[in-house]
Amino acid sequence: MIVNAIAHAHKASYYNTTVFTADTLIKLDSVKDKKLLKPAQRIAAKAKRSAKQDTSKKVARLDTTKKKPGGLQSEVKSVADDSTYTDPDKKITYLFGNARVTYEDFSLDADYIRVDQTNHLIFASGRRDPKTRRYTGRPIAKNKDESPLTADSILYNYQTKRAYSYNTSTEQEGNFITGGEAKKLNETEVAYHNILFSTCSLPYPDTHFGIVITKGIGEKNRIISGPAYLEIAGVPLPVAVPFGFFPKPNSRSSGFILPSFGEDARLGFFLRNFGYYKAFSDYLDLTTMASVYSRGSVEIGTTARYLKRYKYQGTLALNFGSHNYGVSGDPFTRDYNIQWTHSQDANAHPGSTFSASVNAATQSYYANNPATTNYNIQQLTQNNLRSSISYSRTWAGTPFNLTTSLSHSQDLSRGTVSLELPTFNFNMSSISPFDNRDRVGEPKWYQRVTVSYTLQGTNKVNDVPESQLFKASTLSKRLQNGFFHQIPIGLNLNVLKYFQFNTSANYSERWYFQSIRKRYARGSIRGNEQLVTDTVPGFTRAGEYALNGGFSTKVYNTLSFKGGSLKAIRHVMTPSLSFNYRPDFGDPVYGYYRQVVSDAIVPYPATSQKYSIYESSVFGGPSSGRFAGVSFSLDNTIEAKMKARSTDTSGADRKVSILQGLSLSTAYNFAIDSFRLSPINLNAHTALFNQKVSVSLNGTLNPYVTEVRDSVSNGTLVKYIRPVDRYTFQNGRFPTLTNLSMSMSFSLNSATNKKNPAPNTLQNMTAGQAQQLAMIDSDPSRYVDFNVPYNVSVNFNFNYNNSYLTKTTSSTVSASGDVNVSPKWKVQYTTNYDFKAAKLGITQFSIYRDLHCWDLSFRWTPFGIYKSFSVDLRVKASILQDLKLTKRKDYYNN
């Protein structure tokens, strides 16, 4: 029951000392209610004076005599912090100060409680604080597993279990009953008089929206009322009913979902999001909604949520849309979408996990169904969808583990789909086969040898057009499969105290059940030969190996300073030199590469091409070209040591990072006759201003001379480049910068934004979190965190590319964040600017107002293809999520 212990003033013992404060539900005037307050104050004072006769006993046990047939079967227990007084003649006990009375499953807490053993009555009330004049210590009653009840006063008969209360307040499943009077008639029924039935927990006048029930009967799952009217912020509206039926469920209940109506500029008038909610049980429900438009378009969606405690939970959504955005008579565009999330409790099956995150749709689904995503800009403009269903297993006490998955990736701009049905990965973690578990002391060199093993297998279809995805020939002709084995063997040793020596041998092998052959079509026209690719079935294997060994060390340089807050600067260099060898697996002796020739008959010119018979396979093939040479890399870090701040009581020196990393790498191949030196790669990254600004840079330098030459083609002058096997420094020039990318990000959060624990994953989040996540995914505007006063994020990106013929640059800056204008107002924004195009990208502003039991939001996209604005006023209560007012104007609606 929502209300289970009720009361009013009884005989002369009831007194109402309520004042208009933040912790009361009604407003009383001290002058107007003077006559009502004085008798109550005299009775309380007299009882307290009498209580001084016995202040040592603060715990009283009542009805402890031998139970008579038909009498009470339990005893009434009571306790008070201040004092307890018992009138032996009238068998009345008075309890003062944080008093508590319990009887069977019923408990009652209040500042003042009177227990009448003769009449089996318990009366409870609060008191007016003489200093603050607030009414404090209001009674709180609790019965069995029901929600607690708060009132100004409660009168309870512990023999008949009937009760009477005044100015009641209780909550259940987002429903709040406040004010008025209530009388408990029996175990299942409560009589109400002038109560407010609402979704707001705040006391009057902050209760913004509710229904005043003048007379009614409350049952377990509903309230049957007489006259009732609507009230907002204490103002009655001319909306009333002579009788009503209000659901008051303590569990999920089925029911119809009322639609919203309006007009779409392209689809016509609509009834949107009407349907039916079916609660099969507390562990399974189904929501089906539809939208219809006057010009024939239809949207239908159904969402199922399921839960098995301590096992798993998930959500499955299927959506269909049929739209005609053209002229009347044009064919309708049909779109589909499926979303599924599933997570397993971490303790359900130790050692194994199963999870799913699926989002698949037709190419135009998000563009044609904007209402299903609440016109969310991020979803409307996304270009890629990804899905994964995975299962993993770890065998305790062994180095083995297995992961298998089904995955899907979709390019909405190209309308293509890639599937992996399925992929598995079997791993053996690194072990030392020559080491002894019972070894004592340092291991021998051979005991440091490590070996591991990885096996991957997949069935994959790449870049299939949506129209061909479900054709029988797609899986029979375009499905690619294969296995990939990898065995790395390694050894790490310390040499000459300061050097780290590492060597490894890597062997990998691919197994395929098909390969390709290329040929030129017979009858091809000279200069326009047609290359044909044939798929040849049959098992083939391709193995390759590589050997490498190298040394690395660290070099420290320290520059010390005297005086000032800067004590020292330390520079750490980490050079690494390795020797690598890999055979040329493009040699015809291996059979992995072949040559295709157009026509070898003299004197006709022949066109030839070298290709790998595994070039379109899922794991590729061995690489061609022999490498026998050295690789070199150098990494640098710089940090400063600063004196402790005067406010730091520990006195420990501070370490400040100046340069977190600056590295360059290259390689030299002795096995080839030209262009032996590889391009030089540069990488740098650091963080400034106490880690608030992050800067990273990547670039490539070409050490060889590249000439730009002219040619004539079809009477047009054409420029082309020609590499020369000559270093640029031989011509007195620095290596040419061919590409450079730089990014800078700035993030600033309020000091009150404390670190939160790592976010839960699908595998270990609770059922409540899964439900909240589903709500946020369907409508991100439902979640706004007012606990973070401000958050600013700025990202700058710059790219430079030099192809010798042309030089291109691009630079963009994006900004997003939010700020609390006040504790209840928040402003969010996101925008970006392209410096080269000199224009703003998609920009959106949002304003949110927390109205406690309501949310008010305003979103505005001022320009661009998605120019729009919307205003939403929504009830927070989960059971009334469809109760909202919306005003929208955008590129879809007028």
Side-chain angles (χ1 to χ4, degrees):
M1 293 290 298
I2 285 185
V3 177
N4 52 18
I6 334 286
H8 192 299
H10 183 66
K11 299 182 178 179
S13 59
Y14 169 74
Y15 59 97
N16 189 335
T17 57
T18 311
V19 295
F20 175 49
T21 57
D23 58 350
T24 184
L25 294 176
I26 62 173
K27 294 189 295 185
L28 292 182
D29 188 90
S30 58
V31 177
K32 180 179 179 181
D33 299 315
K34 186 176 182 180
K35 294 182 179 180
L36 179 65
L37 297 176
K38 281 187 176 180
Q41 292 170 349
R42 288 197 300 269
I43 293 171
K46 180 179 179 180
K48 192 161 186 177
R49 285 194 300 270
S50 300
K52 294 180 179 180
Q53 301 174 12
D54 184 10
T55 59
S56 60
K57 294 184 179 180
K58 297 186 179 182
V59 178
R61 293 184 176 270
L62 311 174
D63 292 345
T64 58
T65 58
K66 186 177 180 180
K67 307 298 183 293
K68 298 179 180 180
L72 297 178
Q73 300 302 313
S74 301
E75 64 178 353
V76 178
K77 299 178 181 180
S78 60
V79 64
D81 285 351
D82 192 343
S83 58
T84 301
Y85 166 71
T86 301
D87 186 337
D89 298 330
K90 297 181 179 181
K91 294 185 178 180
I92 298 177
T93 301
Y94 303 89
L95 300 102
F96 299 91
N98 196 21
R100 180 179 178 85
V101 172
T102 58
Y103 175 73
E104 295 182 347
D105 294 327
F106 174 77
S107 63
L108 180 63
D109 295 84
D111 188 78
Y112 167 72
I113 297 179
R114 187 188 71 239
V115 181
D116 186 344
Q117 300 179 46
T118 303
N119 299 312
H120 308 293
L121 295 176
I122 301 175
F123 173 76
S125 67
R127 70 180 180 89
R128 182 188 291 274
D129 190 295
K131 294 182 178 179
T132 63
R133 308 299 295 168
R134 287 189 174 188
Y135 188 63
T136 61
R138 302 174 74 239
I140 301 175
K142 182 74 168 59
N143 191 21
K144 296 181 181 179
D145 297 328
E146 299 172 0
S147 299
L149 174 146
T150 304
D152 280 355
S153 61
I154 294 176
L155 181 66
Y156 178 67
N157 188 314
Y158 56 85
Q159 186 177 47
T160 63
K161 296 188 177 180
R162 291 188 176 186
Y164 207 71
S165 74
Y166 180 73
N167 203 12
T168 306
S169 175
T170 186
E171 180 270 340
Q172 187 169 344
E173 294 292 327
N175 294 296
F176 294 89
I177 293 178
T178 55
E181 305 166 37
K183 182 178 182 180
K184 183 178 181 182
L185 305 177
N186 51 51
E187 289 292 334
T188 60
E189 293 183 342
V190 178
Y192 293 117
H193 177 58
N194 288 336
I195 66 163
L196 181 68
F197 182 76
S198 71
T199 63
C200 189
S201 62
L202 283 182
Y204 180 89
D206 293 298
T207 304
H208 299 285
F209 176 90
I211 299 172
V212 176
I213 300 175
T214 58
K215 293 182 179 180
I217 297 293
E219 297 181 347
K220 184 175 182 180
N221 295 323
R222 58 186 176 270
I223 297 176
I224 302 173
S225 79
Y229 59 89
L230 188 65
E231 183 178 278
I232 296 180
V235 179
L237 300 182
V239 179
V241 292
F243 58 88
F245 174 90
F246 303 97
K248 186 173 63 69
N250 55 8
S251 61
R252 299 178 182 178
S253 60
S254 303
F256 289 97
I257 300 173
L258 299 179
S260 60
F261 59 90
E263 182 184 5
D264 187 285
R266 302 170 65 185
L267 301 178
F269 295 99
F270 62 76
L271 286 177
R272 179 174 290 157
N273 293 335
F274 64 91
Y276 189 78
Y277 172 79
K278 177 63 177 177
F280 295 98
S281 68
D282 289 339
Y283 309 103
L284 177 65
D285 62 21
L286 183 68
T287 305
T288 302
M289 294 194 297
S291 301
V292 295
Y293 299 83
S294 60
R295 297 179 185 175
S297 298
V298 177
E299 299 168 0
I300 301 174
T302 181
T303 302
R305 296 182 300 173
Y306 56 89
L307 165 69
K308 188 170 184 180
R309 294 188 184 277
Y310 313 113
K311 294 293 185 179
Y312 54 81
Q313 68 261 334
T315 303
L316 175 64
L318 304 174
N319 298 282
F320 167 77
S322 177
H323 300 86
N324 180 8
Y325 285 103
V327 298
S328 178
D330 285 353
F332 281 73
T333 302
R334 291 175 172 80
D335 296 296
Y336 305 88
N337 171 251
I338 177 173
Q339 297 183 26
W340 179 35
T341 60
H342 178 93
S343 60
Q344 175 184 298
D345 191 291
N347 299 319
H349 299 283
S352 65
T353 59
F354 176 79
S355 64
S357 177
V358 175
N359 185 12
T362 52
Q363 181 180 3
S364 56
Y365 174 80
Y366 287 100
N368 289 340
N369 297 262
T372 59
T373 60
N374 199 33
Y375 299 85
N376 183 265
I377 293 295
Q378 285 71 28
Q379 290 183 299
L380 290 175
T381 57
Q382 64 183 332
N383 290 323
N384 296 280
L385 300 179
R386 296 186 180 277
S387 306
S388 176
I389 303 173
S390 62
Y391 170 80
S392 63
R393 174 69 185 274
T394 300
W395 286 270
T398 70
F400 302 105
N401 62 83
L402 172 69
T403 301
T404 181
S405 65
L406 304 173
S407 63
H408 146 272
S409 62
Q410 189 172 355
D411 190 326
L412 297 180
S413 60
R414 296 169 53 203
T416 59
V417 180
S418 297
L419 301 174
E420 293 189 10
L421 308 166
T423 293
F424 74 89
N425 194 320
F426 178 78
N427 294 290
M428 182 188 75
S429 58
S430 180
I431 62 173
S432 300
F434 305 110
D435 198 4
N436 189 350
R437 292 184 179 180
D438 301 328
R439 171 180 52 81
V440 177
E442 289 294 324
K444 306 293 184 182
W445 70 267
Y446 58 85
Q447 292 176 324
R448 295 179 181 271
V449 175
T450 60
V451 62
S452 61
Y453 171 73
T454 300
L455 169 62
Q456 299 179 55
T458 187
N459 292 281
K460 192 172 185 179
V461 179
N462 281 325
D463 296 333
V464 179
E466 286 184 7
S467 58
Q468 302 179 16
L469 183 61
F470 296 103
K471 292 184 177 180
S473 59
T474 300
L475 294 181
S476 61
K477 294 184 178 180
R478 301 196 59 169
L479 184 65
Q480 300 175 342
N481 44 49
F483 298 91
F484 181 62
H485 308 261
Q486 194 169 25
I487 304 175
I489 302 173
L491 173 64
N492 295 320
L493 299 172
N494 289 323
V495 180
L496 300 177
K497 188 178 180 179
Y498 299 108
F499 295 92
Q500 182 74 25
F501 172 74
N502 58 82
T503 182
S504 64
N506 293 278
Y507 178 79
S508 59
E509 185 168 302
R510 300 166 176 86
W511 292 355
Y512 295 121
F513 298 96
Q514 58 187 10
S515 57
I516 66 167
R517 302 292 186 271
K518 292 185 178 182
R519 59 183 174 84
Y520 284 100
R522 181 174 297 179
S524 298
I525 301 175
R526 177 184 174 185
N528 191 24
E529 293 83 357
Q530 296 181 2
L531 190 63
V532 179
T533 302
D534 298 322
T535 301
V536 179
F539 175 79
T540 61
R541 53 168 294 277
E544 66 173 328
Y545 63 90
L547 304 173
N548 63 76
F551 294 89
S552 64
T553 188
K554 289 184 179 293
V555 180
Y556 297 88
N557 297 288
T558 303
L559 182 61
S560 300
F561 298 89
K562 294 182 179 180
S565 59
L566 178 62
K567 299 183 67 175
I569 293 178
R570 187 175 70 171
H571 173 215
V572 182
M573 294 189 300
T574 308
S576 177
L577 183 67
S578 62
F579 305 90
N580 306 281
Y581 173 76
R582 185 191 68 241
D584 181 12
F585 293 102
D587 193 295
V589 68
Y590 294 100
Y592 304 151
Y593 287 79
R594 296 200 175 193
Q595 198 84 12
V596 57
V597 181
S598 62
D599 193 348
I601 301 176
V602 179
Y604 299 102
T607 300
S608 64
Q609 179 182 341
K610 185 179 180 180
Y611 70 95
S612 170
I613 64 174
Y614 306 113
E615 65 181 25
S616 60
S617 300
V618 289
F619 297 115
S623 56
S624 64
R626 182 186 179 194
F627 188 92
V630 295
S631 299
F632 174 77
S633 66
L634 177 64
D635 186 54
N636 300 267
T637 61
I638 302 176
E639 62 181 9
K641 180 183 289 187
M642 310 287 291
K643 286 184 178 179
R645 292 189 176 96
S646 58
T647 56
D648 188 354
T649 57
S650 65
D653 293 334
R654 295 181 293 122
K655 291 184 179 180
V656 179
S657 177
I658 299 176
L659 184 63
Q660 294 179 344
L662 173 60
S663 63
L664 60 89
S665 61
T666 187
Y668 191 88
N669 188 0
F670 294 97
I672 56 179
D673 57 1
S674 61
F675 300 101
R676 294 179 174 177
L677 185 63
S678 300
I680 303 171
N681 298 311
L682 295 174
N683 295 278
H685 61 94
T686 191
L688 306 174
F689 304 108
N690 197 22
Q691 309 294 315
K692 289 184 172 59
V693 179
S694 178
V695 182
S696 63
L697 183 145
N698 298 278
T700 303
L701 297 172
N702 184 6
Y704 289 99
V705 174
T706 301
E707 297 178 347
V708 179
R709 296 192 173 186
D710 297 333
S711 177
V712 177
S713 176
N714 296 326
T716 304
L717 182 64
V718 178
K719 294 183 178 294
Y720 69 97
I721 60 175
R722 175 177 175 270
V724 179
D725 189 15
R726 179 181 176 84
Y727 298 115
T728 55
F729 67 82
Q730 291 179 293
N731 291 350
R733 292 189 293 110
F734 195 76
T736 305
L737 181 65
T738 57
N739 63 75
L740 175 69
S741 63
M742 184 185 70
S743 64
M744 180 183 299
S745 61
F746 168 77
S747 179
L748 180 62
N749 299 91
S750 60
T752 58
N753 184 19
K754 299 179 181 179
K755 290 185 178 180
N756 295 321
N760 288 359
T761 63
L762 289 175
Q763 287 75 19
N764 59 16
M765 67 179 175
T766 64
Q769 290 170 334
Q771 182 178 0
Q772 293 175 2
L773 179 61
M775 293 173 57
I776 295 171
D777 288 342
S778 62
D779 186 359
S781 65
R782 291 185 182 180
Y783 177 79
V784 179
D785 189 0
F786 281 89
N787 294 322
V788 182
Y790 60 86
N791 179 33
V792 180
S793 178
V794 180
N795 295 277
F796 173 77
N797 291 279
F798 173 81
N799 290 279
Y800 166 82
N801 184 67
N802 180 12
S803 65
Y804 292 93
L805 299 178
T806 59
K807 297 180 180 179
T808 59
T809 59
S810 65
S811 56
T812 59
V813 62
S814 61
S816 62
D818 54 69
V819 59
N820 283 6
V821 181
S822 72
K824 299 295 183 180
W825 284 93
K826 179 180 283 289
V827 177
Q828 291 183 341
Y829 58 89
T830 176
T831 185
N832 63 82
Y833 182 79
D834 190 326
F835 289 96
K836 188 172 183 179
K839 65 178 183 180
L840 284 170
I842 294 178
T843 300
Q844 189 175 72
F845 297 93
S846 301
I847 301 175
Y848 297 93
R849 174 67 165 95
D850 184 3
L851 299 174
H852 186 256
C853 53
W854 290 76
D855 275 333
L856 176 65
S857 64
F858 171 77
R859 288 184 293 175
W860 178 39
T861 304
F863 46 79
I865 186 175
Y866 298 109
K867 180 179 179 180
S868 62
F869 79 85
S870 66
V871 181
D872 294 278
L873 181 62
R874 177 188 291 111
V875 177
K876 280 186 179 180
S878 59
I879 62 172
L880 295 176
Q881 281 299 312
D882 293 313
L883 182 59
K884 61 181 178 180
L885 300 174
T886 300
K887 172 61 178 177
R888 185 183 309 277
K889 183 177 180 62
D890 52 30
Y891 64 104
Y892 280 100
N893 298 340
N894 51 10

